[in-house]
Amino acid sequence: MSAHAVGRGPGADGRAVIVGASVAGVRTAQALRREGWTGPVTLVGDEPHPPYDKPPLSKQLLTGAWEPGRAVLLDGPAAREAGITLRLGSPAVRLDPAGRRVSLADGQTLSYDVLVLATGAAARPSPWRPGSGLHVLRGLDDLLALRRDLELPGPVVVVGGGFIGAEVASAVRARGREVTLVDPLPVPMARLMGEEVGAHFNGLHRRHGAVTAFGTGVESITGRAGALTVRLSDGGALPAATVVVGIGSVANDAWLRDSGIPLEDGVLCDEYGRVPGHLGVYAVGDLARRRLPGPGGPQRSEHWTSAVEQAACVARTITRPSAPSAEASVPYVWSDQYDWKAQIVGAPGGARLHRLIGDPDGSPARFAALYSGDGARLTGAVLVNWPRAMLMARRLIAEEGALAHAERELTATGQVSRA
Amino acid sequence: MPELTADLGACQGYANCVVAAPDTYDIDDDGLVVLVRTEIPEEDRARVEEAARSCPVSALKVDGK
Ligand SMILES: Cc1cc2nc3c(=O)[nH]c(=O)nc-3n(C[C@H](O)[C@H](O)[C@H](O)COP(=O)(O)OP(=O)(O)OC[C@H]3O[C@@H](n4cnc5c(N)ncnc54)[C@H](O)[C@@H]3O)c2cc1C
């Protein structure tokens, strides 16, 4: 089985190695089998835990509604049944694309015919380093450490008002704890959905008893678990038993630095996940910085649904290289905060808010915010507690539907559902 | 025939299933999945299963032959 056969046709008996064992990696491995790959499939993960899913970390696993076992994506028996070899507990540390070899930290070397890079992203490290008691949340070990520290009495401070910070604040409130959420932006969600709708998300925190210190930076965090002090740029200081920092992510691409694989906070690849200049090498999920058709530079999607779709597509492209397959659907991300299930479709960020339909202040709230990039077509929407409207918006965005039409359809559903 | 089941206690209304296979899945006004059909013909199985796999909380299952 030569690499060239893989490039030319369905050389489905080659050795497939997938590095990174969360949702993108696991789904790629499973999809390769479904697509008829008969050669060995090896899935490499740095963590010792059975592969697990990330979204519950800031939701059900943090409130305590789920125990970690529930988030497992692939256990030993399921892997054996699917013919997937799990190599867990040792990170990949080097890639030699010319020799088609991946080296692991434990000294093992894996040879491949097809390589899928799926090492995802890590939490952006905290610039503040108190003695203890400061947490980020990206993996299971982070969660377990945070859950342990949440046993300490006293207030919790969350730095960063994006999705992760907001979900952590919500989960910590659900545990009955005092929370202050700090972000240098006056309306942290504004970048994603504009000032007006973002302001409703600010209000959501306050309605549920979280204190917000927005428009305020962090100067320093000192002390230790149970007795921390967060000093703010406005001169204030917040005592905290525990601090959680959620200030974005960085791609886990450091291990590829000397490999010649094109990197730019992630692995540069085309819309099919193929890495240019490296036949048989693909990138999927949060690690993949894809050059998509249309304007705009290459982008990393950091959404679960996209990771799942990319995995299915890359497996098809690997098994049928002459008919590569790309993710077709509209960008979609959800976020669960307090009693809001927020769903964001398309690209409301950068587009103009056209209209807000429904009631953002009700209890429960239900609304749809419609956005347009060009004033004519629906290009993005933010929906709260209204999955049917999300489906409608998602379809209309895919069809490049007229804004006026979207507005009519959504207003009509809104009336039906309230009747 | 393969049978499709939904765990309504787990469903969160994320609606990925409806996007993937709208002929089989729908969502009601409260945001819970509605199975349009539960007996899945063999020829639709792969597509219905792919939609089930797109559920972030694994609320959907296709079982049996
Ligand atoms: C707390 C949290 C909540 C989220 N909530 C949502 C949500 O509500 N909705 C949504 O759409 N998305 C959400 N996301 C985003 C979503 O989880 C990601 O898009 C998804 O996990 C991407 O999957 P991935 O497999 O590409 O990358 P990752 O999940 O980052 O997984 C990569 C894996 O590779 C491993 N790895 C890294 N380096 C190496 C190495 N050198 N060798 C071997 N293994 C390595 C890592 O340990 C990790 O397990 C959330 C993410 C987090 C962290």
Side-chain angles (χ1 to χ4, degrees):
Chain A
M1 174 68 227
S2 81
H4 266 94
V6 172
R8 265 206 318 267
D13 55 350
R15 294 157 299 178
V17 170
I18 300 161
V19 186
S22 191
V23 69
V26 168
R27 293 302 180 88
T28 303
Q30 293 170 321
L32 275 174
R33 284 291 179 240
R34 276 198 308 279
E35 298 295 336
W37 189 267
T38 55
V41 173
T42 304
L43 183 58
V44 179
D46 57 351
E47 297 176 90
H49 314 292
Y52 60 88
D53 212 6
K54 304 284 164 71
L57 292 174
S58 52
K59 306 177 182 69
Q60 299 92 333
L61 291 173
L62 189 54
T63 59
W66 287 13
E67 280 312 309
R70 186 122 181 226
V72 168
L73 290 165
L74 183 71
D75 59 15
R80 267 194 299 284
E81 197 184 323
I84 297 167
T85 304
L86 288 175
R87 289 250 183 189
L88 302 176
S90 183
V93 288
R94 212 161 49 82
L95 169 63
D96 167 13
R100 299 196 159 240
R101 276 189 304 264
V102 175
S103 310
L104 309 189
D106 63 8
Q108 302 254 10
T109 301
L110 302 172
S111 295
Y112 63 84
D113 298 297
V114 160
L115 175 68
V116 180
L117 303 169
T119 50
R124 183 178 296 286
S126 165
W128 312 283
R129 305 280 168 97
S132 59
L134 183 140
H135 298 265
V136 295
L137 184 55
R138 180 78 205 186
L140 190 54
D141 291 335
D142 298 334
L143 172 87
L144 297 174
L146 173 57
R147 270 170 57 160
R148 254 191 321 273
D149 267 6
L150 284 175
E151 301 297 322
L152 299 169
V156 176
V157 171
V158 178
V159 181
F163 285 135
I164 304 255
E167 291 190 355
V168 168
S170 156
V172 169
R173 279 302 296 150
R175 295 170 70 116
R177 303 294 298 276
E178 260 178 62
V179 179
T180 302
L181 192 52
V182 183
D183 195 294
L185 297 176
V187 185
M189 288 291 172
R191 201 171 45 85
L192 274 164
M193 51 185 77
E195 296 284 333
E196 183 179 337
V197 179
H200 290 300
F201 281 78
N202 283 8
L204 176 66
H205 290 293
R206 293 195 287 265
R207 237 187 348 268
H208 288 268
V211 176
T212 56
F214 290 158
T216 317
V218 170
E219 290 291 323
S220 68
I221 304 176
T222 51
R224 60 192 155 71
L228 292 156
T229 304
V230 179
R231 277 180 221 292
L232 303 177
S233 57
D234 66 2
L238 302 169
T242 303
V243 174
V244 185
V245 175
I247 52 173
S249 79
V250 288
N252 284 325
D253 62 3
W255 70 282
L256 295 165
R257 198 139 293 154
D258 302 317
S259 65
I261 295 286
L263 302 178
E264 191 185 303
D265 182 34
V267 170
L268 285 167
C269 56
D270 68 11
E271 60 182 310
Y272 306 109
R274 301 181 299 198
V275 179
H278 294 270
L279 196 62
V281 181
Y282 301 80
V284 284
D286 280 17
L287 178 72
R289 186 173 288 281
R290 294 175 300 157
R291 195 174 292 285
L292 302 172
Q299 288 173 22
R300 243 166 17 91
S301 159
E302 297 192 73
H303 306 328
W304 190 93
T305 304
S306 177
V308 166
E309 289 178 2
Q310 288 177 48
C313 288
V314 141
R316 281 186 204 116
T317 300
I318 289 170
T319 47
R320 286 185 291 284
S322 56
S325 167
E327 180 191 0
S329 72
V330 174
Y332 169 53
V333 60
W334 71 88
S335 177
D336 300 344
Q337 303 176 21
Y338 309 97
D339 56 352
W340 283 17
K341 293 198 175 304
Q343 300 178 308
I344 296 149
V345 284
R352 206 176 49 79
L353 174 66
H354 172 71
R355 191 167 158 205
L356 195 148
I357 299 167
D359 178 12
D361 299 314
S363 144
R366 167 174 278 201
F367 71 86
L370 306 182
Y371 296 77
S372 180
D374 59 7
R377 290 167 310 137
L378 182 68
T379 55
V382 175
L383 302 303
V384 167
N385 294 338
W386 202 357
R388 284 185 74 85
M390 188 279 292
L391 283 167
M392 197 172 285
R394 195 160 155 168
R395 176 172 51 76
L396 288 165
I397 292 168
E399 292 168 356
E400 308 203 328
L403 202 48
H405 175 62
E407 201 175 330
R408 263 197 315 278
E409 273 204 40
L410 279 163
T411 314
T413 351
Q415 273 152 8
V416 171
S417 56
R418 262 192 298 279
Chain B
M1 217 181 299
E3 200 185 328
L4 172 64
T5 52
D7 177 350
L8 294 182
C11 176
Q12 298 290 313
Y14 296 136
N16 281 337
C17 57
V18 191
V19 175
D23 60 344
T24 303
Y25 304 93
D26 197 359
I27 207 148
D28 70 13
D29 225 45
D30 299 322
L32 282 183
V33 66
V34 175
L35 302 181
V36 180
R37 54 180 183 171
T38 53
E39 310 229 303
I40 308 302
E42 203 51 60
E43 66 267 26
D44 290 346
R45 183 174 188 155
R47 199 166 49 82
V48 171
E49 279 182 343
E50 176 137 358
R53 279 191 299 272
S54 72
C55 176
V57 287
S58 310
L60 302 166
K61 261 210 319 269
V62 182
D63 277 316
K65 290 244 175 314

